[in-house]
Amino acid sequence: MISKIKSIVFVLGFISSIGFAQSKGIVPKNYVAYKTSEKIQIDGDELETSWSKAEWTDAFIDIEGVEKPKFNTKVKMLWDDKNYYILAKIQEPHVWANLKQHDTIIFYNNDFEVFIDPDGDTFNYYELEINALNTAWDLFLTKPYREKNVVLNDWNNTGLQSAVKIQGTLNNPADTDEGWTLEIAIPWASYQKSFGEDNVPRDKFWRVNFSRVNWQHDIVNGKYERKKDASGKYLPEYNWVWSPQGVINMHEPEKWGYVYFTSKEIGNKVTFTIPQDEKIKWELFELYRAQKQFLAKNKKWAVAINQLTKSVIKVGTNVITPKLENHSFGWNISVKSPFSSKTFIIKEDGQFIEK
């Protein structure tokens, strides 16, 4: 598998998108997170009744959505007025980690990663990585790496709680482990302070995805190390995710899953259907990628939609007719939704605007 490319500038660098058109056919996963009135103890033990009632997500798939991973990963979610709770069950016959410094590059170990975009415009989103030592790396990104962005490595998810429970022994090559459980409480207040959210997302959805990085390893002097090839280069990692991206790139937020935070208590049954307006957004992002391809090939932007696609664009049974407008700074593609009468706009930098 081709590695996800992460080069460090002062913290993190550019992650390339491999093939703009590969996202067709990839449908984001969705999950209903129920409210809990039970106190959730963040200890990795998942003993609360609320956790026993919560459903697991589908098992993770490889990031492109085409291969079944070697080891299983699945997640449960809950929430209350203070926190967003995540429980990850990670199958791993050799649980190891050696990074202990907060905000170091955690994906150099096997890790579990959380990506959150509260308003779904692909701008101003969050990443959290945690290894089996419970060492965290939390950061805030102004835009995806495909655009000129700012990465705030010194942003802290204030009040974050996490705990790891290992089913086996950590850093012991002499035995075979079952894996590890990670329990996380992310306070809404950390997003309210830095993102400007007025309150928790009651009966709303956020765009969320989860990733697991898993490395092949060698045992050197009794310790685990990432495996290298004959030339001394590290072998690429495996990238296993909840909602497949279609490309080896987690930083395409428009492809992340949907988590709907119902105000109903855990134990109820709520069905969430991805709104048709969201499917219009998917089509606009396809046009955005086509524009990027057009620029790369022709050294200029397209000036008409039929230069980007010859196909009729339909959402359900409705034909949508996007309008492309070029201007001195770039372009906008806009469309009026037949479902809500809202106007959706995507800009040359990928920002999504709703009016």
Side-chain angles (χ1 to χ4, degrees), residues 104-167:
T104 194
I105 306 167
I106 297 300
F107 69 84
Y108 285 167
N109 283 173
N110 294 343
D111 76 356
F112 183 83
E113 304 179 356
V114 182
F115 298 83
I116 298 176
D117 181 10
D119 66 355
D121 70 348
T122 76
F123 279 34
N124 300 321
Y125 64 91
Y126 306 84
E127 180 176 356
L128 171 66
E129 302 185 5
I130 300 178
N131 67 6
L133 279 168
N134 199 30
T135 308
W137 182 16
D138 45 10
L139 56 156
F140 172 87
L141 300 94
T142 60
K143 302 178 185 179
Y145 291 101
R146 62 195 174 203
E147 302 291 344
K148 186 176 181 181
N149 70 348
V150 175
V151 179
L152 300 180
N153 190 47
D154 57 355
W155 176 80
N156 287 318
N157 198 320
T158 304
L160 174 72
Q161 301 175 66
S162 61
V164 170
K165 191 80 171 185
I166 297 170
Q167 290 79 53

Side-chain angles (χ1 to χ4, degrees), residues 65-235:
V66 295
E67 295 181 2
K68 182 179 179 180
K70 293 176 65 177
F71 309 121
N72 289 331
T73 314
K74 54 187 179 180
V75 170
K76 291 183 177 184
M77 290 169 262
L78 295 165
W79 69 279
D80 61 22
D81 289 338
K82 291 185 178 180
N83 296 305
Y84 174 21
Y85 300 104
I86 299 165
L87 181 73
K89 184 74 73 175
I90 302 162
Q91 182 188 27
E92 175 56 69
H94 294 279
V95 181
W96 66 275
N98 56 24
L99 297 175
K100 301 178 181 179
Q101 179 65 44
H102 178 76
D103 278 351
T104 194
I105 306 167
I106 297 300
F107 69 84
Y108 285 167
N109 283 173
N110 294 343
D111 76 356
F112 183 83
E113 304 179 356
V114 182
F115 298 83
I116 298 176
D117 181 10
D119 66 355
D121 70 348
T122 76
F123 279 34
N124 300 321
Y125 64 91
Y126 306 84
E127 180 176 356
L128 171 66
E129 302 185 5
I130 300 178
N131 67 6
L133 279 168
N134 199 30
T135 308
W137 182 16
D138 45 10
L139 56 156
F140 172 87
L141 300 94
T142 60
K143 302 178 185 179
Y145 291 101
R146 62 195 174 203
E147 302 291 344
K148 186 176 181 181
N149 70 348
V150 175
V151 179
L152 300 180
N153 190 47
D154 57 355
W155 176 80
N156 287 318
N157 198 320
T158 304
L160 174 72
Q161 301 175 66
S162 61
V164 170
K165 191 80 171 185
I166 297 170
Q167 290 79 53
T169 54
L170 179 67
N171 293 328
N172 182 4
D175 67 3
T176 299
D177 308 309
E178 293 181 20
W180 50 295
T181 302
L182 173 61
E183 192 173 19
I184 306 172
I186 302 176
W188 301 119
S190 64
Y191 298 126
Q192 292 168 11
K193 181 177 180 181
S194 57
F195 183 75
E197 289 289 304
D198 293 329
N199 45 44
V200 300
R202 294 179 182 85
D203 300 314
K204 297 178 182 178
F205 63 80
W206 280 9
R207 301 303 300 273
V208 175
N209 212 349
F210 304 104
S211 172
R212 173 184 174 181
V213 169
N214 192 270
W215 298 88
Q216 297 181 62
H217 66 267
D218 277 325
I219 309 299
V220 180
N221 298 322
K223 295 182 179 180
Y224 290 100
E225 291 187 359
R226 288 183 291 158
K227 193 170 186 175
K228 297 179 180 179
D229 63 18
S231 66
K233 294 182 179 180
Y234 289 113
L235 294 176

Side-chain angles (χ1 to χ4, degrees), residues 252-265:
E252 294 192 351
E254 67 275 10
K255 298 177 184 176
W256 295 350
Y258 292 79
V259 176
Y260 179 74
F261 298 93
T262 177
S263 59
K264 299 291 186 181
E265 287 276 337

Side-chain angles (χ1 to χ4, degrees), residues 14-20 146 247-249 252 255 289:
F14 174 78
I15 297 184
S16 67
S17 176
I18 304 174
F20 291 111
R146 62 195 174 203
V247 293
I248 305 174
N249 182 358
E252 294 192 351
K255 298 177 184 176
R289 295 185 192 93

